[in-house]
Each structure stands twice: as structure tokens, then as C-alpha cells.
Amino acid sequence: MKICIYGAGSIGCYLGGRLVAAGVNVDFIVRPKIQHQLQQYGLTVSDYLGQTYAIPASQLQLSSESSLATQADIIFVCVKSASTEQVAHELKEILKKNTIIISFQNGLSNVGILKQVLSEHTILEGMVPFNVAALGNGVFHQGTDGVLYVKKHAGLNELVIAFNSAQLELKLEDDMQAIQWAKLLLNLNNSVNALSQLPLKQQLSIRAYRQCLAMAQIEALALLKIAKIKPAQLTALPAQFVPFVLKLPNSIFNLLSKKMLAIDPLARSSMADDLMAGRATEIDWINGEVVRLATQLNLKAPINQKLIELIKQSEITPKAWSANALSDQLEGVNKAEFK
């Protein structure tokens, strides 16, 4: 089995690195900047449990050309969501018809885009639950825990074995919509974390920031209930109870959420990384998914819409929001909505 990582950024390099360390045949399609970094330093993947795997550059199959994907049996699409359509057209020109494509991307819209362009191929939803930080010099660090999910398909048995050999659990799931919405509810914290400019663990230790996340989640959960979509349970608590735990005082929250706070001090959201690097964020594929659902229901999602506006402002002029200032902004939206 040959796997190709198409768009090897933080997630792609981490998943590919773990698989290569386990002896799996992996090709990496990377941006020239990442290619040069990996050629110079090799690839090192580490995690919050203290495990580290170092792969020398000589063992990495790297290219910036899409043609590297031609011989792949399975392709992981790991590009930013804004690039999905472009990648789909690039793949359409080169792929053999029996290639399986798995979208390990944020949001819920990417598989639909891939299927529209690559109508003759098998396109499957995937979900990466954990945070990966790019630490520089070819080092990619998993800062939180979680189980990988992919849409159930008969052609994935060898892939499951490969992930098991890499000590990464991969589950095959029929209802990926429920899984994706559950992940997206957790990812609503990406915008709060990016606006805070703090590491994830520190940000979640501050009650007012957690209340901001809770407001965004409560709004999304109300819309999901109207749409009759039940998110899967990815954490110790069902999704509908998480906002109420988030709003608890620190003393109680810390007792009830030890697993939730089992976060490496190095961990930060990918959206925070994008803002720090001056890149466009994926806010339209995270909080934007909630706004799109609201629009489909002829309703509004003012909390998530406000977070989108604040992130887009920060893309132009970066600003660190204090917990109380951000909470006041979102509370103000709530009050205006119910006048």
C-alpha cells in the first residue's frame, strides 16, 4: 500500500511521519518551504505522552509536484479548505480510478467539493481530533489526545492495520456527519484561542474565555437540534453538556475536566498559528459552517458571525483580546439579538 499526503502541513506531516516511522510507504506533496525544511532537518514527530520519532531526510519521499500522487493507493488531502477545489482539479488530471481519497480537513464542506470534481473516485470523510503544532526545524508535535475517524469503506482494512502499527487508533464510522459536527463544536474554540493569543491550556484555564466558547457552542447546538442533527460523543461528556461545564467556576471546572485539560503546554490552535504567520485562516470552514447551517434554516448565528468578523479583522490587524473584552463583545451581540 502506497499512501500520499497531499498538502503536508502540520497534520499531514504528523500523520505521515508516524506512518513512515512504522514502516509504511508514504509520499509527501509539500510546499517548497516545507520541502526545504524537511530536506535540511528531516522530520521529527512527537506527542504529549513523551514519544518522539525522528525520520532522516534520506528516508522521506518529498515533492512539490502533484504528479507524485499518481501511484498512490490512498491519498490524504490535508490542504487548507480554501485550496480544496484547486487540489481536486489537479488530482482529476492524474489519478487512476481506484484511488481512495480521504479528506483530513477542517469543516464539513470539503468532501462535497472533492466529490463534485472527482465524481469517478471514492471520496471519504476523515477526522483528526487532536491538535498538532509546527515547532520549526521539521518538528511537529501532537499536543492533545483523540481517535482518528474515517468513513467506513471496505478498502480500508490495510490502512487501519497501518495506523495500528503506528500506534494511532483509527476507527471506521458510518455516520461521519455526526462525527464531523462533534469535532466542529470543539473546533469553535479555535477562533477564541486565536483571538486570545495564548496557548490552549492557558486559554482554557480562564473562565471568561471558556464562556465565549460556551456561547458559540450553545448557538450551534440549538441550530443542530432544529436541523435534527445529533453530534457524536467524542469526549467524556455528550456534546450538549460541554457548554455548561465550560461555564463553571475554575475550581469546579478543574475537578470535572482533568481529561479536557490534558493538553500539552505547547499546544495551540491551527488558527492561532495562521494568524501568527500572517496567513488567511479557516474561519469560514469552522464558525462559518454554523452560520451556513443557520442560513439554511432561515435563522441567524450572531455569536459565530461575530467571531468570524473579529478573526477577519485580526487577519488584517492582529490584536490580542482579553477574556473579559471578548466576553463583553459576544454578550453584547446576544443582548442586541434579543432586544
Side-chain angles (χ1 to χ4, degrees), residues 16 54 63 82 90 102 119 184 206 212 219 222 229 269 276 285 294 317:
S63 177
E90 289 172 358
I102 301 173
S119 56
L184 190 130
I206 299 171
C212 294
E219 182 175 86
I229 299 171
S269 70
M276 289 172 62
W285 289 270
T317 308

Side-chain angles (χ1 to χ4, degrees), residues 30 103 114 176 259 294 297:
V30 294
S103 166
L114 291 168
M176 281 300 295
K259 186 174 178 63
L297 298 169

Side-chain angles (χ1 to χ4, degrees), residues 6 41 45 59 83 101 212 228-229 237 293 312 321 336:
Y6 202 115
Y41 298 103
V45 290
Q59 293 181 21
S83 300
I101 301 165
C212 294
K228 298 182 179 179
I229 299 171
L237 288 174
L293 178 61
K312 288 187 180 294
W321 284 80

Side-chain angles (χ1 to χ4, degrees), residues 192-252:
V192 178
N193 176 251
L195 292 168
S196 77
Q197 295 189 9
L198 296 174
L200 276 169
K201 189 168 187 176
Q202 184 180 352
Q203 176 243 312
L204 286 169
S205 72
I206 299 171
R207 187 185 186 192
Y209 282 131
R210 296 198 307 273
Q211 289 172 325
C212 294
L213 171 57
M215 283 187 269
Q217 288 187 342
I218 288 169
E219 182 175 86
L221 284 163
L223 293 167
L224 289 171
K225 186 174 182 180
I226 294 168
K228 298 182 179 179
I229 299 171
K230 185 178 180 180
Q233 183 173 336
L234 297 182
T235 64
L237 288 174
Q240 61 267 31
F241 294 132
V242 171
F244 301 101
V245 173
L246 290 169
K247 292 192 289 183
L248 291 170
N250 286 340
S251 57
I252 303 173

Side-chain angles (χ1 to χ4, degrees), residues 10-19 76 104 128 130 148 163 168:
S10 296
I11 292 296
C13 281
Y14 184 79
L15 295 180
R18 289 291 297 263
L19 290 168
F76 298 169
F104 279 123
V128 179
F130 45 73
L148 295 157
F163 271 105
L168 287 173

Side-chain angles (χ1 to χ4, degrees), residues 70-322:
T70 305
Q71 300 304 316
D73 300 300
I74 298 177
I75 295 174
F76 298 169
V77 175
C78 300
V79 298
K80 296 289 187 182
S81 298
S83 300
T84 300
E85 185 172 358
Q86 176 188 337
V87 166
H89 285 290
E90 289 172 358
L91 288 173
K92 186 175 182 179
E93 298 299 318
I94 61 172
L95 285 191
K96 52 188 182 184
K97 291 187 179 181
N98 59 344
T99 305
I100 295 174
I101 301 165
I102 301 173
S103 166
F104 279 123
Q105 298 168 275
N106 282 324
L108 294 91
S109 308
N110 293 295
V111 166
I113 294 170
L114 291 168
K115 284 182 175 180
Q116 188 173 5
V117 177
L118 299 165
S119 56
E120 297 183 350
H121 294 80
T122 299
I123 317 289
L124 304 174
E125 298 89 345
M127 192 277 283
V128 179
F130 45 73
N131 167 274
V132 176
L135 303 183
N137 296 343
V139 180
F140 297 87
H141 182 77
Q142 177 188 343
T144 56
D145 68 351
V147 175
L148 295 157
Y149 284 88
V150 173
K151 176 77 173 179
K152 194 171 185 179
H153 186 273
L156 297 181
N157 291 337
E158 193 174 351
L159 183 66
V160 173
I161 293 169
F163 271 105
N164 285 340
S165 68
Q167 298 180 48
L168 287 173
E169 186 177 1
L170 174 65
K171 290 186 177 180
L172 303 184
E173 175 65 45
D174 281 319
D175 187 3
M176 281 300 295
Q177 183 187 54
I179 296 290
Q180 287 179 304
W181 270 110
K183 170 68 185 310
L184 190 130
L185 286 167
L186 300 176
N187 274 358
L188 294 179
N189 188 56
N190 284 14
S191 53
V192 178
N193 176 251
L195 292 168
S196 77
Q197 295 189 9
L198 296 174
L200 276 169
K201 189 168 187 176
Q202 184 180 352
Q203 176 243 312
L204 286 169
S205 72
I206 299 171
R207 187 185 186 192
Y209 282 131
R210 296 198 307 273
Q211 289 172 325
C212 294
L213 171 57
M215 283 187 269
Q217 288 187 342
I218 288 169
E219 182 175 86
L221 284 163
L223 293 167
L224 289 171
K225 186 174 182 180
I226 294 168
K228 298 182 179 179
I229 299 171
K230 185 178 180 180
Q233 183 173 336
L234 297 182
T235 64
L237 288 174
Q240 61 267 31
F241 294 132
V242 171
F244 301 101
V245 173
L246 290 169
K247 292 192 289 183
L248 291 170
N250 286 340
S251 57
I252 303 173
F253 175 78
N254 290 338
L255 287 173
L256 295 178
S257 60
K258 288 183 179 179
K259 186 174 178 63
M260 185 182 293
L261 288 180
I263 301 172
D264 192 291
L266 294 172
R268 57 183 182 260
S269 70
S270 58
M271 194 173 293
D273 285 343
D274 287 338
L275 281 184
M276 289 172 62
R279 297 188 294 261
T281 70
E282 291 189 291
I283 189 70
D284 290 329
W285 289 270
I286 299 179
N287 300 76
E289 296 283 9
V290 179
V291 174
R292 276 192 287 278
L293 178 61
T295 301
Q296 291 167 14
L297 298 169
N298 294 316
L299 296 168
K300 295 180 180 179
I303 296 293
N304 284 280
Q305 182 62 54
K306 187 63 176 180
L307 287 166
I308 293 171
E309 292 170 8
L310 294 176
I311 288 292
K312 288 187 180 294
Q313 289 171 13
S314 287
E315 289 177 355
I316 300 168
T317 308
K319 174 184 175 180
W321 284 80
S322 71

